[in-house]
Every structure is written in C-alpha cells, then in structure tokens.
Amino acid sequence: MRTIHLLGLGVCLLLAFSCKKDDDPSNCTRLEGTWQGQSWTEEGVQLLGPGQIFTAADLTFKPLISGQGDYILNLTFLIGGSEMVIGAYTVNEGCNSLSLTPKNGPTETYDFHFEGDDLVLEGTGAQAQIIIHLE
C-alpha cells in the first residue's frame, strides 16, 4: 500500500513539474525596450553605418496599453548632429505589423518579425522600400 502511495505521489510530482508554462512572449511584448540599429536600407541603399547618412540609430518602444504605446527614435547624422523623433505606435491584432506616428509627421506602417534576438522592420515610406534591422 505504501508503494502505491509513493508511486502516486511520484506521478503527481512528475506531472506538476513537467507542465511547462508558456514562457515565449508574444511579438507585441518582444517589441518593448530599446533596439540598436544595425542596418537601414532604402531601395537597397545602406543608410546606416560609418560614413553613411545615419551613423547611429536607436528605437525605444514603451509598453503597449490597449494596443498603443509611445516610441522614441534617436538618429545621429553624419553631418548635422542628431534628431529625436517622439510619437505613438500601434500594432495589429496578429502582432506582425506596426504603425509609427510621429508627433509632427505622417504615419508609416511596417511589417515586423524577429530573426533570433533581432527585430526586422519592412515597409514602404515615401515610395521607397525600407528594411531596418535592430538588435
């Protein structure tokens, strides 16, 4: 009888500890935080890096509340200093497309996905194909 109780306890413990919580956050949650620009191309032309138009770029997404959050884009230019763009962002229900609306400008929409720990934004702005890689 004691063996059956121990066996039952062992099965209960096995089941309790083998159930894995879903630790994989959604794409919406993964957006949150600060991302450092690695590559920024428009129509295949690299714009980010030493000697390029942008020498540095970082993008910070604040937490989403009811599908909307704030963002800050910091750009450092090769010539002319730096610029901070502040605005709001929204994501679609599938968490694979986001719209960035700066306080003083038009909305731009990007499809996004993750390649490992890197964030990739792809969209069309001002009639140009834009691809931005951030880590």
Side-chain angles (χ1 to χ4, degrees):
M1 187 70 159
R2 185 178 179 152
T3 305
I4 292 174
H5 287 286
L6 288 175
L7 184 59
L9 177 63
V11 169
C12 287
L13 289 173
L14 179 65
L15 289 174
F17 289 105
S18 67
C19 293
K20 182 181 174 197
K21 239 185 183 180
D22 188 11
D23 292 331
D24 188 24
S26 76
N27 282 352
C28 288
T29 304
R30 288 183 69 187
L31 273 178
E32 296 172 8
T34 299
W35 298 88
Q36 304 297 316
Q38 299 303 308
S39 172
W40 186 317
T41 60
E42 291 190 20
E43 292 300 321
V45 176
Q46 183 59 251
L47 302 180
L48 175 64
Q52 303 299 325
I53 293 172
F54 305 123
T55 57
D58 67 74
L59 179 57
T60 300
F61 291 105
K62 305 287 176 126
L64 280 169
I65 299 171
S66 299
Q68 181 174 330
D70 294 326
Y71 76 91
I72 301 170
L73 173 62
N74 289 301
L75 297 169
T76 304
F77 297 96
L78 178 63
I79 299 173
S82 61
E83 180 179 2
M84 179 187 294
V85 178
I86 298 171
Y89 75 100
T90 57
V91 295
N92 69 341
E93 191 173 307
C95 289
N96 62 3
S97 178
L98 67 92
S99 295
L100 301 174
T101 306
K103 289 191 178 190
N104 297 319
T107 299
E108 291 190 0
T109 300
Y110 297 90
D111 292 332
F112 73 93
H113 65 275
F114 294 90
E115 293 179 357
D117 291 332
D118 294 349
L119 170 62
V120 180
L121 305 177
E122 297 182 50
T124 303
Q127 309 302 325
Q129 177 65 27
I130 300 170
I131 302 174
I132 304 169
H133 288 259
L134 304 129
E135 69 174 15

